[in-house]
Amino acid sequence: MTITAPPEFEQVVARYEPVIGLETHVELGTNTKMFCGCPTEFGAEPNTQVCPVCLGLPGSLPVANKAAIEATIRIGLALNCSIASWCRFARKNYFYPDMPKDYQISQYDEPLCVDGYLDVEVEGQTVRVGIERVHLEEDTGKTLHLGGATGRIHGATESLVDYNRAGIPLVEIVTKPVAGTGALAPEVARAYVTELRDIIRSLGVSDVRMEQGSLRCDVNTSLNRPGDDWGTRTETKNVNSLRSVERAVRSEMLRQASVLDAGGTITQETRHFQEDTGDTRSGRSKEEATDYRYFPDPDLVPLAPDPAWVEELKAAMPEPPRVHRERLREQWGISELDMQSVINAGAVELIEATVAAGASPDAARKWWLGELARRANETGAELAEVGATPAHVAELQRLVDEGKLTDKLARTVLEGVVAGEGSPAEVVAARGLEVVSDTGALTAAVDEAIAANPDVAQKVRDGKVAAAGALVGAVMKATRGQADAKTVRELILSRLGAV
Amino acid sequence: MAAISREEVAHLARLARLAVNETELDTFAGQLDVILQAVARVGEVAAADIPPTSHSVPLTNILRDDVVKPGLTRDEALSGAPDAADGRFRVPRILDEEA
Amino acid sequence: MSDVTRATAAELGRMIGAGEVSAEEVTRAHLDRIAAVDGQVHAFLHVDAEGAIAAARAVDSARARGEKLGPLAGVPIAIKDVIATKGVPTTCASKILEGWRPPYDATIMERINAAGMVMLGKTNMDEFAMGSSTEYSAYGPTRNPWDLGRIPGGSGGGSAAAVAAYEAPLAIGTDTGGSIRQPGAVTGTVGSKPTYGGTSRYGLVAFSSSLDTPGPVTRTVLDAALLHEVIGGHDPRDSTSIPAPLPAIVEAARLGATGDLSGVRIGLVREFAGEGAEPGVAAAVREAIEALVKLGAEVVEVSCPHFEYALPAYYLIAPSEASSNLARFDAVRYGLRVGDDGQHSLEEVMSLTREAGFGPEVKRRIMLGTYALSSGYYEAYYGQAQKVRTLITNDFKAAFEQVDVLVSPTTPFVAFPFGSRTSDPYQMYLADLYTIPTNLYGGPAISVPAGLSEGLPVGLQIMAPTMADDRMYRVAAALETVIPPLTPPALSGSNS
Ligand SMILES: [Mg+2]
Ligand SMILES: [Zn+2]
């Protein structure tokens, strides 16, 4: 079988219908692990956040973390799921060195939350993504592979295991198959993960940072010809950013189409997304069917969430991000189109926080979508990581409003803030950037300019007010831009008796 | 008829990570067969409408508050390790060479 | 001073508290006894003489400071090697854990230490508590003090033999299918299995999580109740621990010791009558029951029609859970590692290690459990066994509507000679015929000496409803007033 060159995406969706599915793992931001009292902080020295339970020492026993159960129920509620009235943890048995007990405590046929949905917006269309289940399990440890070329497991001669992450509560959210999205499939996948991330962030149950691995995504993709049954799906793992979610679906659609076009068949397999090339690669080829021998974990007792407890949690749910965004849009008085660019820039919460810190919605939007978005773009950073905080931006704007900074100066100050020189006030002080508002000094500069440009001054005196611009320029030059142009102009006009 | 074949026993040994030898395989196949035929009797009485019992004590919702408790020091954690390096547990290569 | 190794734990506790003897003297006497006889009995896998003396001295100085001591402070105890003891080797009698020193204590060890009790060492057992004769220890069998050519029962043969041979007045055992009661019966000691969840499993190396129960091994019923009170009660580290106070077991033992059982209804399980107990065992048990009737008890025959399925259900549930519980012995974090020579992958090292580190019975059960849980067989085996568990529980509940306790022989036979049952695993499993139903139900049960058959001890098993452990102690203590503790023949090389 020869694989033909990748066909163009448009041609693919003309011939095939994609079906996608997503499995998302979210590490909860609880204080302690799922079944023991070990802390969960990111980045500790290896094997310093462990105890007999999460190391799987003989004799140790798990006790479930109430906060993790609560967080999972809240995620389930936010995704419109039914909450099970009775469910159990099961053991998923397989040997792997990053799993201390050589079984993972997970939920199998009795998940905590089932049968929900999440509506996402793509190109003005609302797509309903069905949620199959939301369940709770424990994370594994972290393995360092040595002796290989790139730290990968392939070719490694030995590995080192750190169990700090082992046992961190992990929520798995599985969608139902999403069909009928056609060419939008890659964007739907991305929009779904984005919306899911926003929801989980709004619940405050996880910091959902893909780059730290607290939100991880597996993407299922299949193609079928119109009218045919759904095709064989592949599962792409290792998809670690929102952009990658979209790319993974797109590239897998292209790859499968070229196989099918050549008369080949799709193998049900695990594939790995390649961040550098943007395509997917087959996992281990000689993978044998694993028998996980699930059974209810006899060390744990069933969970039977009290309906009153669930109601209490439901009553305390924050506004869904979609509703919240619509409310913000109205408050900010902007169009849906403008709001969309705020959302696309990932600036909703930043602007909201900036407004909360005292800036006007317009000013907040101006800074985040303008200067700061440009900076983020240049450095490839997330907007939230660009170096300025909502508090910084609000302070900056206040300085402008108080006339202590001009717009131009403010941009310079922001540069300093982004460079880590401190708050706007600190940058102003350190760099000596404050507007020259000392009227004495400014009057002197104005008088100097008038003296140096008698012709221009005369024109102004004669009523040609527009000519004052040249004088303003001269004053600004003399004060190295640190004066407020408007004030300068007023001063000139009053000195020349033109007002 | 045997309840379990020699091949099945070999598969179980693989699943259970036991490098059993040929002699053991034969012995286990014979013994497991006897035991399985005896224990298969559970199928005689348990009707579909009988609920399973997984715990003798009918407890539910045994939960722990989300409060950090002291754990082990790294030295304690690694004290039983067959091999350790850089504060971590060392293991031989995970994948087979040909993979 | 009389030989303190012959005293009961209750007496020792009183004497130490009263200053009639020091905890150190008591401890040294037991260490001397171990030195004298354990070469023959082999009850211990590890003796921690230094730790024991230090613990005893701590009790003596606490007393000297005028601190109030608990009833068992300063009393020595032997611990089955399946219980995690901080810094002290814990092997489960397996090669795979040889040399492992846990960095933590089991909950029951914390309670034993807090009570001022003195741990002498760790006792022998069938590897990972899988067996009924202690012949499956990787470190050689324990011998029955009544006849060194016979098994001491299992899996807790070491604990029972240590107590029977006066090496320790008290020991801890664990009971999954009878591993406290059955060794108790064949060594003439008292073996008490508390209600499941009434004693914490935290730090008990799991065999079958839904069945494992730690409990006392002693020479008297009162001692068992006293030890039970020390180790029992709710433990928040064990999700299956019952969050309720223990019943008044010590009072119940004292009440029983008055020898009055009037108003107590005792049930005989009809289905056990036909099941092959040896004639001598059946006779001794019959006499013990007649003795209970003389004390005022009323005997009623009850039917438990599903008990005959207990053994098959047990040999599906226990191995299934064990196959998963024992997966963690994988040569990564602790224990043995074999084949790490640069030639083998981790998977091969795991398989070679487990092959070399586990004995035949453990492997057999791992394979059986792996089979019973595998897809396609789960429903027919594990699923059905769980349903049988429901039926057996219903049998118990129905029986306990008619009677206060159930009684039966503890084992169908007296201690058998070494090697007589190892060739046929299923024959060995029959040793637990009478003890297993209780484990599936979760209720408490105790084995008390019921006399001798052919010169070897016979045990009477008394079973009670869950969380009614007090009932079995009352009846057991009453029987003790008629059949006093048994004394084995003197061991050679010792003066008794
Ligand atoms: Mg999962
Ligand atoms: Zn932990």
Side-chain angles (χ1 to χ4, degrees), chain A residues 23 25 92 104 106 135 137 172:
Chain A
E23 284 182 33
H25 285 93
K92 181 181 184 179
Q104 182 192 33
S106 180
H135 79 239
E137 57 189 31
E172 182 174 324

Side-chain angles (χ1 to χ4, degrees), chain C residues 246-292:
Chain C
L246 282 179
I249 47 180
V250 173
E251 287 82 339
R254 293 213 157 99
L255 175 64
T258 63
D260 179 11
L261 287 180
S262 42
V264 175
R265 292 163 306 164
I266 288 172
L268 297 183
V269 180
R270 187 180 303 142
E271 287 75 11
F272 276 167
E275 295 257 15
E278 288 176 348
V281 169
V285 166
R286 208 176 310 120
E287 277 175 45
I289 292 166
E290 278 162 20
L292 295 176

Side-chain angles (χ1 to χ4, degrees), chain A residues 180-210:
Chain A
T181 55
L184 290 181
E187 280 125 301
V188 168
R190 180 186 180 143
Y192 164 77
V193 179
T194 310
E195 188 67 21
L196 185 64
R197 184 197 61 177
D198 290 351
I199 283 187
I200 289 168
R201 193 174 285 158
S202 77
L203 294 172
V205 296
S206 169
D207 57 4
V208 278
R209 289 158 75 118
M210 288 189 93

Side-chain angles (χ1 to χ4, degrees), chain A residues 127-451:
Chain A
V127 177
R128 176 157 293 190
V129 177
I131 304 291
E132 178 88 37
R133 58 188 288 155
V134 178
H135 79 239
L136 195 45
E137 57 189 31
E138 50 178 352
D139 208 348
T140 59
K142 214 169 144 45
T143 309
L144 204 66
H145 304 294
L146 304 180
T150 55
R152 290 177 59 217
I153 189 168
H154 291 273
T157 54
E158 58 182 346
S159 300
L160 300 178
V161 195
D162 165 19
Y163 293 102
N164 282 350
R165 308 304 292 161
I168 299 218
L170 203 58
V171 171
E172 182 174 324
I173 301 149
V174 183
T175 69
K176 295 174 180 170
V178 184
T181 55
L184 290 181
E187 280 125 301
V188 168
R190 180 186 180 143
Y192 164 77
V193 179
T194 310
E195 188 67 21
L196 185 64
R197 184 197 61 177
D198 290 351
I199 283 187
I200 289 168
R201 193 174 285 158
S202 77
L203 294 172
V205 296
S206 169
D207 57 4
V208 278
R209 289 158 75 118
M210 288 189 93
E211 73 282 3
Q212 283 189 358
S214 59
L215 187 150
R216 310 193 282 266
C217 227
D218 300 341
V219 182
N220 295 331
T221 315
S222 74
L223 292 183
N224 60 274
R225 289 184 201 275
D228 284 2
D229 289 341
W230 290 349
T232 306
R233 65 186 167 87
T234 58
E235 183 178 8
T236 304
K237 292 190 179 286
N238 205 26
V239 190
N240 293 329
S241 72
L242 293 172
R243 198 165 85 95
S244 300
V245 171
E246 189 175 333
R247 290 167 82 207
V249 174
R250 189 181 301 271
S251 78
E252 191 53 18
M253 283 170 68
L254 289 169
R255 186 193 69 84
Q256 290 186 13
S258 62
V259 172
L260 294 170
D261 284 348
T265 50
I266 304 299
T267 330
Q268 181 160 358
E269 61 177 349
T270 299
R271 301 184 65 85
H272 295 277
F273 183 69
Q274 309 296 312
E275 205 58 69
D276 45 358
T277 58
D279 56 16
T280 71
R281 220 168 280 170
S282 181
R284 274 179 89 183
S285 52
K286 49 174 239 174
E287 210 169 343
E288 66 174 300
T290 324
D291 186 341
Y292 292 123
R293 288 157 285 138
Y294 285 101
F295 74 110
D297 191 334
D299 285 331
L300 293 160
V301 300
L303 271 177
D306 182 353
W309 183 35
V310 175
E311 280 309 311
E312 208 177 292
L313 294 175
K314 201 182 262 178
M317 290 290 279
E319 205 172 27
R322 260 167 76 97
V323 177
H324 185 65
R325 284 195 302 259
E326 182 53 25
R327 194 167 53 79
L328 287 179
R329 190 187 70 75
E330 280 169 20
Q331 274 175 16
W332 297 347
I334 62 176
S335 70
E336 281 180 25
L337 202 67
D338 284 345
M339 191 63 189
Q340 199 54 52
S341 39
V342 172
I343 293 166
N344 291 347
V348 177
E349 286 156 33
L350 295 167
I351 293 173
E352 188 184 8
T354 307
V355 171
S360 72
D362 280 347
R365 215 154 49 85
K366 182 191 74 182
W367 288 114
W368 285 108
L369 294 191
E371 200 63 16
L372 289 166
R374 193 180 53 74
R375 287 282 306 186
N377 240 336
E378 279 168 13
T379 56
E382 292 274 340
L383 196 50
E385 258 101 67
V386 80
T389 65
H392 289 152
V393 175
E395 185 188 333
L396 187 74
Q397 184 59 37
R398 193 169 53 248
L399 293 174
V400 173
D401 292 344
E402 286 168 358
K404 293 187 179 150
L405 287 181
T406 61
D407 259 27
K408 186 161 168 282
L409 270 180
R411 275 195 290 276
T412 313
V413 172
L414 196 55
E415 256 169 48
V417 171
V418 165
E421 292 168 24
S423 70
E426 285 163 353
V427 175
V428 165
R431 291 200 186 181
L433 287 175
E434 198 157 354
V435 165
V436 180
S437 56
D438 171 355
T439 322
L442 214 50
T443 309
V446 166
D447 289 345
E448 224 167 273
I450 290 171

